[in-house]
Amino acid sequence: MISNCFFYCFFNSAHSLVNKKNYRTVLEIKNLHAVVEGEELEILKGVNLTVNKGEIHAIMGPNGSGKSTTLGIILNVVNKTSGEFLWFDGSLSTHE
């Protein structure tokens, strides 16, 4: 399982970086899909999220709802089926 503390620290670091630059959007997720490897079970079905400069977001939900999968995809340790990530107004993309 991925550490929530790491996620928090990562975004605090990203927030510090963004404050030094003239960015509006820190992270944008568009139409994110993911399935359990080796199965047909779709965990994420078209997730969209925008985190703007200065905002703090919490990903909450019941067990099995895709919180850790979403974080794993953001951190590039879990593969996504489809979707797009844009960091810092699109200046940096992941999973390409």
Side-chain angles (χ1 to χ4, degrees), residues 17-33:
L17 175 64
V18 169
N19 281 333
K20 295 177 184 175
K21 303 287 182 177
N22 192 21
Y23 295 106
R24 183 178 160 276
T25 302
V26 176
L27 170 64
E28 186 172 9
I29 299 173
K30 297 179 181 179
N31 200 27
L32 181 63
H33 290 261

